[in-house]
Amino acid sequence: MVVQLRQLSSRKGKQQVAKDYKFLLQDLKRAEKRAQEKINPDQKLSLCMIVKNEEKYLEDALKSAVDVVDEIIIVDTGSTDATVEIARRYGAKVYFKDWAGDFSAARNESLKHATGDWVFVLDADERIPDEYKNNLRALLVPTDQPISYLIFIRNYMDQMHESAMLGHYIVRLFKKTPETRFVGMVHEQLYPNWGQITIPENSFYLDHFGYTDAKAKLEKSENRNLPLIKKGLEATKDNNPDLHSFYAYYMGASIPNSTRENIDEKKDWLKKAVSFAADVNDTPHVPLAYTEYLNSCYYAGDFEDGVQMAEEAQEVLPAIKNYPDFLDIYASLLIENKRPQEALPLLHRSLDLKENKPDDLIFFAAQSGRSGSWGTYYTLGGAYALTAEPEKAKEYFAQALEIYPDENKDKLLGQIEKMTGSTDIAFNHFKSRVEAEEPRAYDMKLLSNIYLKKEQPFEAILLQTNLHGEEKALDSALVLGSLYLKSQRFELAQKVYQGILSLMPESIPAQLGLSIAELRLSDSQPDIEKVETCFSSCQTVQDWMALGDFCLQFGLLEQAEKSFEQVTSLDSEHYDARLYSALIYQEKNQIDQAVASLKSLIESFPEQAAAYTQLANLGMVFGRFSDAEPLFRHLIEIEEADWYTHYGLGVALSGQERFEEAEAALLSARQQAPGRTEPDNLLALIAQAKEQAPQP
């Protein structure tokens, strides 16, 4: 080794020596690990891979396998990145073969160089879970038969989120014989392959992350796989019915359920996949074709067609009754056909199949993470809700929520709430989680939102206090109280402010907010003397703003003006205080001062919208529609204007009798706020004015 290092030194220089020396030490460590006794040490295991530009994934794949296999054979089909360097770093024997549009040819090239008794196939974007590595070697039983193992692949549609996982079985480990080879240009299959053994998922599986990159997946399908599939269809139509059937299935499965035309084409291919199969009971993708067809019917609203196809599938392929994904989508179609009672036994069987697997369970078909699991519980909840069994519906919805595998449950919560019209299920679930020893911030946040929906704001404030700290939570509570006041929900505002004061009794904004709520509920006016005493209690800008807002709401203009003057004395650039001061000028009919104040505010804060709106409104009050128009137009230019800005522009234009332009603005306002009546009322007046106008 010393001689070897000296030769490297003279050839490549010091920097390269360091690099090679590091790799040499790594190789020695790997050799030491491989020398340790493995399960079935007399059975040599070759890892065979084909790669091209896989530097993003390859290292993690090799890292997961290097200590399990006895040799690594990699066939590179034209990489231009660091793929080959990474492969050699892990001791792989790298061979090169030009890509000829044939996956089997590349796979067979890797088999040609494999010297093991067994071959393990791994794609670059797949991983062996750490806890299952030894289980792989346990399968290497001495035999002369061409045994092959069907391995479960967990395809993650989102990184490690099991709610978005679709699984399927495929041969990945097999005994190498002189006859062993792959056939098929794409989605290649092993031959001979008559000794298949299915390995249960809980004994061994592979994680596949290639589908998490949706863009890359689409590009591979459209630019590489589909052209090969089309060639394969032509090449197999007269000599290999099962492979021809599989290619038809792939064509259908590749078409998204996005348009009516797409769905019709997709369903046509899936029907062909079933009809082309030589024996549907011995063709692994036929259950997938039926199930994919049913899914397309569901998305397209072809519920009756879906039910008819499901009934046909059960007659043609009895074993499909043991396929949870098929049972779940069949049940969903029955529910949409207003036959929920018939859906119930299908869904219960789907759950039972996960616990009590019969001998003829369809292992090799794709399995989604939701079927026989949280998704089935959710569908059962919906079915029981439709059969007027609310308690059972709640039971199954609660179980769906409990076992839903992702932390973010917002979407599922929304669906359950929509189905039940209640937050009770989510409330009970998150309340029990928050009462645990170490509640998660996510659970507290969700429970806080549920408390707000249940109109229990004080409980929400307490949770927010635990979550964000007292100061931030109380600031949020003050905003909430203000929103309740503006929407005239005075009883809820009262609860919020009482909650704040129970935690911080000296809060001036909360005291004043509570007073507003109580006065509005009793339809009373404030006591002026009590208001005057508040002036001695205010200390901060927030206190003075709250007092000014209180006085303004009850028309106490002098006291409001005094409060806002105190604010500007502490913060001369306080936007809201200056805005409200201009409003007080307007209320006191001091129009010139109001206009001057608003123009000054616009000059200081040209990006803030409120002063523009107030000045435009002031102009319209006095019939100055041409002055208001550019202000509203400017607002539309500088921000994503709300409905009122378009409505105000419509008013300004109609005031100038520019009715066509006004109608366009009002239609924009109506589009943004379809529930508001103001745009429609003004449009009706404009139509009336146009009818009454003298004809030219």
Side-chain angles (χ1 to χ4, degrees):
M1 272 184 273
V2 175
V3 174
Q4 187 179 23
L5 284 174
R6 285 174 179 167
Q7 290 174 341
L8 287 170
S9 177
S10 64
R11 223 174 28 239
K12 299 184 179 180
K14 293 181 180 179
Q15 185 176 2
Q16 188 64 39
V17 168
K19 183 179 178 183
D20 287 344
Y21 184 68
K22 183 180 75 171
F23 289 154
L24 179 60
L25 290 181
Q26 289 176 351
D27 287 341
L28 288 173
K29 288 179 182 178
R30 292 190 195 100
E32 185 179 343
K33 281 186 178 181
R34 291 193 185 104
Q36 296 173 359
E37 186 174 349
K38 298 175 181 176
I39 297 175
N40 293 319
D42 60 321
Q43 299 292 301
K44 185 175 181 180
L45 178 60
S46 300
L47 170 61
C48 289
M49 303 178 70
I50 59 174
V51 297
K52 181 179 180 180
N53 292 334
E54 294 287 2
E55 65 179 3
K56 177 181 177 181
Y57 292 109
L58 183 59
E59 183 155 13
D60 285 339
L62 293 175
K63 193 181 297 182
S64 77
V66 66
D67 298 329
V68 183
V69 302
D70 298 297
E71 70 172 357
I72 301 173
I73 306 296
I74 288 184
V75 172
D76 185 89
T77 60
S79 293
T80 56
D81 62 3
T83 294
V84 172
E85 180 184 344
I86 293 168
R88 286 176 171 157
R89 196 183 304 159
Y90 282 83
K93 301 173 185 176
V94 181
Y95 301 91
F96 299 93
K97 183 176 178 62
D98 291 338
W99 178 245
D102 189 331
F103 280 91
S104 286
R107 293 282 185 206
N108 291 332
E109 180 70 17
S110 70
L111 294 183
K112 185 173 76 174
H113 300 286
T115 61
D117 304 290
W118 294 83
V119 170
F120 176 55
V121 173
L122 190 69
D123 285 342
D125 52 5
E126 294 173 346
R127 314 281 180 269
I128 304 174
D130 288 341
E131 63 270 30
Y132 289 103
K133 289 184 177 181
N134 284 334
N135 293 20
L136 178 65
R137 291 200 67 93
L139 302 174
L140 309 182
V141 294
T143 178
D144 294 328
Q145 300 300 316
I147 290 176
S148 60
Y149 291 106
L150 285 161
I151 304 297
F152 191 73
I153 313 290
R154 290 187 173 192
N155 303 292
Y156 293 97
M157 307 303 165
D158 190 7
Q159 191 79 3
M160 289 306 288
H161 283 189
E162 293 194 15
S163 65
M165 188 271 288
L166 181 68
H168 71 282
Y169 277 90
I170 190 171
V171 172
R172 284 304 180 81
L173 177 65
F174 52 89
K175 177 76 174 182
K176 188 174 184 289
T177 71
E179 297 80 24
T180 302
R181 67 182 188 277
F182 286 94
V183 295
M185 289 184 290
V186 63
H187 287 277
E188 58 282 5
Q189 299 179 14
L190 188 69
Y191 175 85
N193 195 22
W194 54 78
Q196 288 187 355
I197 299 173
T198 302
I199 303 304
E201 181 187 358
N202 59 4
S203 295
F204 187 81
Y205 66 86
L206 296 174
D207 286 320
H208 175 221
F209 300 111
Y211 289 163
T212 59
D213 187 342
K215 183 180 179 182
K217 176 190 171 187
L218 183 62
E219 286 179 356
K220 278 186 177 181
S221 176
E222 290 183 348
N223 300 330
R224 185 192 68 183
N225 291 7
L226 281 177
L228 294 178
I229 290 288
K230 290 174 182 177
K231 287 184 180 178
L233 275 166
E234 184 63 28
T236 58
K237 66 180 181 180
D238 296 322
N239 54 42
N240 193 332
D242 284 342
L243 198 51
H244 189 61
S245 168
F246 174 78
Y247 289 153
Y249 161 71
Y250 188 92
M251 287 293 293
S254 301
I255 299 172
N257 289 308
S258 54
T259 66
R260 179 76 255 181
E261 183 180 1
N262 277 0
I263 289 171
D264 289 342
E265 183 183 0
K266 182 184 186 81
K267 288 162 69 175
D268 184 55
W269 277 114
L270 296 170
K271 279 184 178 179
K272 289 177 180 177
V274 174
S275 64
F276 291 159
D279 181 358
V280 294
N281 289 284
D282 193 33
T283 307
H285 58 267
V286 167
L288 299 180
Y290 274 124
T291 305
E292 190 77 25
Y293 188 98
L294 267 56
N295 273 305
S296 294
C297 290
Y298 185 85
Y299 282 110
D302 300 337
F303 305 128
E304 290 185 13
D305 180 22
V307 169
Q308 289 175 7
M309 181 60 83
E311 292 169 352
E312 174 194 308
Q314 292 178 105
E315 292 179 11
V316 173
L317 181 62
I320 204 167
K321 297 174 185 176
N322 291 332
Y323 181 22
D325 288 58
F326 170 81
L327 296 172
D328 279 21
I329 187 60
Y330 182 16
S332 295
L333 289 163
L334 286 169
I335 290 170
E336 293 295 340
N337 270 297
K338 304 188 179 355
R339 295 160 63 182
Q341 198 69 46
E342 297 174 54
L344 294 174
L346 298 174
L347 295 165
H348 282 293
R349 178 162 181 75
S350 177
L351 292 175
D352 187 60
L353 286 170
K354 285 294 179 91
E355 298 298 326
N356 305 297
K357 296 180 172 64
D359 292 337
D360 58 345
L361 176 68
I362 295 180
F363 279 106
F364 43 75
Q367 298 173 23
S368 70
R370 59 171 289 156
S371 294
S373 182
W374 67 268
T376 309
Y377 282 113
Y378 169 74
T379 309
L380 261 171
Y384 276 118
L386 293 171
T387 56
E389 297 178 79
E391 292 308 312
K392 283 192 174 181
K394 288 180 182 179
E395 175 190 343
Y396 286 105
F397 278 137
Q399 289 185 69
L401 195 58
E402 182 65 34
I403 66 173
Y404 187 69
D406 289 354
E407 179 177 308
N408 189 334
K409 305 188 180 189
D410 294 18
K411 185 176 180 181
L412 185 62
L413 283 172
Q415 292 171 333
I416 292 173
E417 186 177 335
K418 185 177 179 181
M419 290 285 288
T420 61
S422 168
T423 59
D424 289 348
I425 294 168
F427 173 76
N428 293 332
H429 173 77
F430 286 105
K431 191 170 187 295
S432 65
R433 294 178 73 94
V434 166
E435 289 172 350
E437 289 186 10
E438 296 183 3
R440 300 179 308 165
Y442 175 82
D443 296 329
M444 289 193 286
K445 175 186 173 184
L446 264 291
L447 184 58
S448 174
N449 292 339
I450 293 167
Y451 273 126
L452 291 176
K453 288 183 179 180
K454 291 171 71 69
E455 300 190 344
Q456 295 178 257
F458 177 62
E459 289 81 356
I461 292 169
L462 289 177
L463 275 175
Q464 290 291 324
T465 302
N466 293 331
L467 188 59
H468 299 300
E470 187 174 274
E471 184 177 347
K472 187 175 179 181
L474 292 178
D475 285 343
S476 298
L478 287 171
V479 172
L480 178 63
S482 176
L483 291 172
Y484 281 143
L485 288 177
K486 287 179 181 178
S487 60
Q488 299 186 11
R489 304 181 72 184
F490 300 120
E491 290 183 354
L492 286 175
Q494 189 178 36
K495 290 181 181 179
V496 170
Y497 291 122
Q498 286 172 342
I500 296 172
L501 291 171
S502 70
L503 299 172
M504 189 180 287
E506 70 279 7
S507 171
I508 299 296
Q511 293 173 16
L512 292 166
L514 179 59
S515 295
I516 293 172
E518 291 174 342
L519 288 167
R520 294 303 189 195
L521 286 169
S522 63
D523 197 21
S524 306
Q525 290 294 311
D527 186 323
I528 299 297
E529 291 185 2
K530 288 185 178 180
V531 173
E532 292 290 348
T533 61
C534 288
F535 280 87
S536 61
S537 303
C538 294
Q539 297 181 2
T540 66
V541 166
Q542 188 181 37
D543 293 344
W544 286 111
M545 281 298 298
L547 181 57
D549 183 53
F550 175 91
C551 295
L552 197 58
Q553 287 202 42
F554 291 99
L556 304 176
L557 299 183
E558 295 299 330
Q559 290 83 354
E561 187 173 20
K562 180 180 175 182
S563 300
F564 294 130
E565 285 175 355
Q566 288 291 334
V567 174
T568 53
S569 70
L570 296 170
D571 180 2
S572 60
E573 294 300 306
H574 197 288
Y575 187 86
D576 286 343
R578 291 172 63 182
L579 186 70
Y580 291 149
S581 295
L583 181 60
I584 292 170
Y585 286 134
Q586 183 179 334
E587 291 294 321
K588 294 168 69 174
N589 207 29
Q590 298 173 353
I591 305 305
D592 290 342
Q593 292 95 321
V595 170
S597 181
L598 289 169
K599 286 184 176 179
S600 173
L601 193 55
I602 288 172
E603 185 176 344
S604 300
F605 299 92
E607 299 303 316
Q608 295 281 347
Y612 289 95
T613 302
Q614 193 165 316
L615 184 58
N617 288 339
L618 186 60
M620 291 196 297
V621 168
F622 292 96
R624 299 172 184 169
F625 299 110
S626 60
D627 292 340
E629 179 193 345
L631 293 169
F632 285 123
R633 289 196 184 279
H634 181 70
L635 283 178
I636 292 172
E637 290 176 3
I638 66 170
E639 65 170 21
E640 188 176 338
D642 62 7
W643 78 273
Y644 182 80
T645 305
H646 291 280
Y647 172 71
L649 178 59
V651 174
L653 291 167
S654 62
Q656 301 173 68
E657 298 187 0
R658 293 158 59 187
F659 295 135
E660 284 76 12
E661 294 175 77
E663 286 174 327
L666 293 170
L667 288 172
S668 296
R670 186 171 68 181
Q671 185 177 7
Q672 289 197 349
R676 305 291 304 200
T677 59
E678 294 92 330
D680 286 333
N681 292 340
L682 187 51
L683 282 166
L685 290 173
I686 290 173
Q688 185 178 352
K690 289 168 72 174
E691 287 178 5
Q692 295 175 353
Q695 297 298 317

